[in-house]
Amino acid sequence: MGQMGTGEPLDAIASIENSRNPSQIIYLVYLRSENAFVTCGIQEHFAELELMIPAYLIMNDFQLVGSIISAILERLSEAKEKGGVFMYEPRFSVLDVTYSLAQYKGFMLMEPVEGQIGGEMGETAFSFTRDLE
């Protein structure tokens, strides 16, 4: 991968700006060894694992995957602003497709769950709870 933590990676194919904080930009980078795209910036801005999305998902519906990443970024930002604890949910559904998020090689790998179709649009790929002090 290109440069990390020093602005836009050299091999970024897209970027997503946080509408809550435009200085928080997440880049999407192709990781050839995994035939997948990974985010670059979640660790830097939020101290959470980066996402990994198989290339075929990006190729099938780039806009949908971008929307999912944007929604996760918004929730990360919201949790940080409110002093909450963020957690990736292991399953979520979007447009009648159920996806899983599981730790894989230092990333959170997003994949459709085989044989799992359906679910509610209201399910999310993330959650957070407010720290009680």
Side-chain angles (χ1 to χ4, degrees), residues 55-82:
Y56 74 90
L57 286 179
I58 299 282
M59 299 307 161
N60 285 342
D61 198 336
F62 185 81
Q63 197 166 24
L64 174 63
V65 173
S67 295
I68 292 170
I69 294 169
S70 291
I72 292 170
L73 179 58
E74 292 298 319
R75 292 295 177 102
L76 279 162
S77 183
E78 185 178 339
K80 184 176 181 178
E81 288 172 8
K82 293 182 178 182

Side-chain angles (χ1 to χ4, degrees), residues 25-126:
I25 300 173
I26 305 302
Y27 298 97
L28 198 56
V29 176
Y30 182 63
L31 186 59
R32 183 179 305 271
S33 63
E34 294 290 335
N35 192 27
F37 290 88
V38 295
T39 59
C40 178
I42 291 176
Q43 174 67 41
E44 178 183 343
H45 296 299
F46 303 105
E48 295 291 339
L49 292 176
E50 300 289 347
L51 297 171
M52 177 183 285
I53 303 104
Y56 74 90
L57 286 179
I58 299 282
M59 299 307 161
N60 285 342
D61 198 336
F62 185 81
Q63 197 166 24
L64 174 63
V65 173
S67 295
I68 292 170
I69 294 169
S70 291
I72 292 170
L73 179 58
E74 292 298 319
R75 292 295 177 102
L76 279 162
S77 183
E78 185 178 339
K80 184 176 181 178
E81 288 172 8
K82 293 182 178 182
V85 175
F86 177 88
M87 295 179 297
Y88 289 105
E89 291 295 330
R91 288 182 184 234
F92 63 99
S93 295
V94 177
L95 299 176
D96 296 326
V97 177
T98 301
Y99 296 91
S100 67
L101 277 173
Q103 198 165 349
Y104 173 78
K105 294 186 177 182
F107 295 92
M108 290 302 290
L109 176 62
M110 184 180 96
E111 293 185 298
V113 176
E114 288 187 42
Q116 293 286 324
I117 297 181
E120 298 296 320
M121 282 290 293
E123 293 181 61
T124 60
F126 33 74

